[in-house]
Amino acid sequence: MSTRVEEADLFTVARRQFERAIPFVHPLDGWRGMAELLFEPEKTIKVTLPVVMDDGFVHTFSGYRVLHDTVRGPGKGGFRFHPHVDENDVKALATWMTWKCALTDIPFGGAKGGVTADPKSLSDDEKQRITRRYIAALGDHLGPFTDIPAPDLYTDAQTMAWVYDTYSMMHPGQNNLPVVTGKPLDLGGSAGRDTATAQGLFYVFEHLLAMGALPAMPDLVGVRIAIQGFGNAGRNAARIFSQAGARIVAVSDSQGGVHDPNGLTLTHVELHKSETGSVAGLPGTTPLEPHEVLEVPCDVLIPAALETQITAANAKKIDTKVVIEAANGPTTPEADDILSDRGIPVVPDVLSAAGGVVVSYFEWAQNLANERWSESEVQDRLRSTMTRATDAMVTTRAALLDQLDTYRVAWGEARPDSILASPTFRTAAHVVAVRRCRRATEQRGIWP
Ligand code: NAD
């Protein structure tokens, strides 16, 4: 498990990314107040969760839920089990959910939750009891039109089934399916939800290639891909890219990684992981420490594990043509600057990791209408949503670059330092999202 570095307080990371977008959103008097309104979370909840463990003793866990912004719709965001979970982490993750939903133009705001716990030390029964207690403690802060959870790190469709069941016990006699997404298919889940994050990332990548927005990479066939994390996001990304003709040269999980410059055989990796619990130690491959996967020579690097993995400490050693983020917040602002100076584009999480929430929206819409969409219908809608969002990011970046001098003049002496830098994909993605939230806020008006 990697440790957090000082540059990497997550909410500070989120704030710095936001501040880089602000000069392009608010060349107006009174911008500071509106910027604070757009950035600060609406609601932060901490709950204490006493749970009887399998050994009969009581353990008390801390749980969090943050509703970041609901100006465009109810809060939407996953919840996770992880020992790192704290209020600042959850606030940052909720903030990124707001930008994801706005950039992909789905009618949700941002939310996120988590329980501070080491999932590897918990039995399934213990996870179930913690989940039920957490959902009960949040009570009517959750709801199909207020705040809708989903899976995230170390939570899955089974966890979401417990969420649904707990909420339903508390709200009998109504359609509760839309209160949570990422549910099993038999319980109102959507076709395509389990692979949606990786599939959405792939559609973004494919469209960037088609637009010629990644000049160092004309084609996908044979490109070398390295992936950190081999869970829902990483494992599915490996499979989807490999099926499209790419070569997966390295993967890792929390216990270690494996490297083969000629390309790993994914079926062997999968089998080894299911037999041993880790990709590490696959015969015929070079072993890697978990973080070393980020530094192997490749064309596309996909961080799909945890936050703040690409930092000032390793950004100079990264040997790729493009980084495309599947994890939330894997790259710190310092690392962004280093990669940008080195000419390595970073496709940001708020776009490339948004496929999960987009298909969650499809699940919510199906549940509300009591409908079932086919896999191909879900894929068609996902592809067009991700393509539109990619277009918005790329065209906005081009427009910002064109008008940079105009923005600098408009800001005059008051200009924030960030406007002096050339806008990256991340800044452009934030600009699209924050502009949409700002417009919705102004149209609704500040009440009373
Ligand atoms: P998961 O629990 O299914 O898998 C996490 C993977 O990361 C596991 O393989 C684990 O072993 C690995 N890992 C943990 N620590 C590691 C380390 N130090 N080095 C290398 N690997 C490590 O979780 P997931 O759903 O795939 O989520 C992964 C990331 O993607 C998270 O940042 C999550 O927020 C983000 N994400 C997930 C979804 C989703 O729908 N599941 C959507 C958007 C973003």
Side-chain angles (χ1 to χ4, degrees):
M1 188 83 44
S2 71
T3 50
R4 285 281 167 78
V5 290
E6 199 181 325
E7 66 182 282
D9 169 78
L10 272 203
F11 198 48
T12 307
V13 170
R15 181 180 285 280
R16 291 181 56 194
Q17 293 172 348
F18 172 79
E19 280 170 356
R20 289 177 178 191
I22 277 300
F24 305 107
V25 178
H26 272 274
L28 291 173
D29 289 345
W31 62 278
R32 278 184 200 281
M34 178 57 95
E36 275 315 291
L37 170 60
L38 289 167
F39 186 73
E40 283 300 321
E42 277 176 24
K43 183 160 70 179
T44 301
I45 304 163
K46 177 169 188 256
V47 287
T48 298
L49 310 171
V51 173
V52 180
M53 306 302 280
D54 290 347
D55 62 9
F57 290 103
V58 174
H59 189 97
T60 302
F61 295 91
S62 294
Y64 301 87
R65 186 78 190 169
V66 172
L67 203 57
H68 175 256
D69 187 288
T70 54
V71 71
R72 300 181 73 260
K76 187 84 194 77
F79 90 93
R80 58 173 59 183
F81 289 117
H82 201 270
H84 275 164
V85 165
D86 66 16
E87 186 176 314
N88 262 9
D89 276 22
V90 181
K91 277 161 70 175
L93 292 160
T95 307
W96 288 321
M97 289 307 298
T98 300
W99 311 146
K100 268 187 201 176
C101 295
L103 178 60
T104 53
D105 205 10
I106 57 175
F108 289 134
K112 202 80 174 191
V115 175
T116 316
D118 178 3
K120 293 191 173 158
S121 70
L122 299 172
S123 69
D124 283 351
D125 283 348
E126 288 169 337
K127 269 193 191 169
Q128 177 172 178
R129 288 196 289 275
I130 299 170
T131 301
R132 288 186 184 279
R133 185 75 198 209
Y134 173 65
I135 297 305
L138 290 174
D140 284 335
H141 289 289
L142 302 180
F145 302 103
T146 45
D147 182 359
I148 304 142
D152 193 64
L153 266 182
Y154 298 105
T155 54
D156 57 14
Q158 175 59 71
T159 328
M160 300 309 117
W162 297 327
V163 171
Y164 168 70
D165 187 66
T166 309
Y167 186 87
S168 279
M169 292 292 172
M170 294 158 61
H171 300 84
Q174 60 187 49
N175 173 16
N176 291 311
L177 289 175
V179 76
V180 56
T181 59
K183 301 180 293 295
L185 280 175
D186 289 329
L187 212 53
S190 176
R193 176 60 185 87
D194 54 342
T195 56
T197 302
Q199 193 67 61
L201 180 143
F202 181 77
Y203 290 145
V204 168
F205 185 77
E206 211 182 32
H207 193 56
L208 286 169
L209 278 188
M211 294 173 93
L214 302 173
M217 195 152 354
D219 193 5
L220 182 58
V221 175
V223 303
R224 298 162 305 158
I225 314 250
I227 304 177
Q228 185 198 36
F230 205 66
N232 176 290
R235 185 194 293 238
N236 285 310
R239 192 179 46 74
I240 293 165
F241 274 86
S242 163
Q243 282 168 357
R247 195 162 23 125
I248 312 300
V249 294
V251 296
S252 70
D253 59 28
S254 60
Q255 294 174 54
V258 287
H259 180 209
D260 182 347
N262 297 315
L264 298 160
T265 307
L266 271 187
T267 47
H268 296 173
V269 181
E270 296 268 7
L271 189 63
H272 187 73
K273 172 108 180 157
S274 69
E275 282 173 1
T276 67
S278 173
V279 299
L282 176 68
T285 61
T286 308
L288 300 168
E289 291 298 317
H291 66 276
E292 284 177 335
V293 72
L294 299 170
E295 296 164 22
V296 302
C298 61
D299 302 307
V300 180
L301 176 61
I302 305 179
L306 301 173
E307 308 76 30
T308 63
Q309 298 298 298
I310 306 179
T311 66
N314 62 2
K316 290 197 187 76
K317 294 186 243 165
I318 279 169
D319 188 358
T320 187
K321 292 185 182 138
V322 56
V323 176
I324 177 157
E325 297 178 336
N328 291 304
T331 313
T332 66
E334 288 78 0
D336 262 342
D337 291 345
I338 294 168
L339 293 171
S340 170
D341 289 348
R342 293 182 58 210
I344 299 173
V346 178
V347 185
D349 48 6
V350 292
L351 174 66
S352 45
V357 73
V358 170
V359 178
S360 274
Y361 163 55
F362 298 160
E363 182 176 332
W364 181 80
Q366 290 170 76
N367 291 161
L368 283 178
N370 284 311
E371 280 181 9
R372 282 278 188 194
W373 299 353
S374 66
E375 173 80 34
S376 65
E377 184 169 1
V378 168
Q379 293 305 331
D380 287 350
R381 287 175 187 254
L382 176 61
R383 187 194 287 267
S384 65
T385 305
M386 299 311 289
T387 301
R388 269 199 310 274
T390 308
D391 282 336
M393 178 188 78
V394 172
T395 54
T396 298
R397 178 159 181 263
L400 297 182
L401 284 166
D402 252 12
Q403 297 156 14
L404 209 46
D405 286 340
T406 318
Y407 279 106
R408 287 174 181 162
V409 170
W411 275 89
E413 291 296 301
R415 76 183 171 206
D417 286 348
S418 56
I419 205 169
L420 298 173
S422 206
T424 58
F425 281 145
R426 189 185 311 283
T427 296
H430 274 71
V431 168
V432 176
V434 179
R435 278 179 180 166
R436 286 179 180 165
C437 291
R438 173 199 167 183
R439 278 201 299 271
T441 304
E442 288 176 348
Q443 284 158 359
R444 287 178 64 154
I446 309 289
W447 190 85

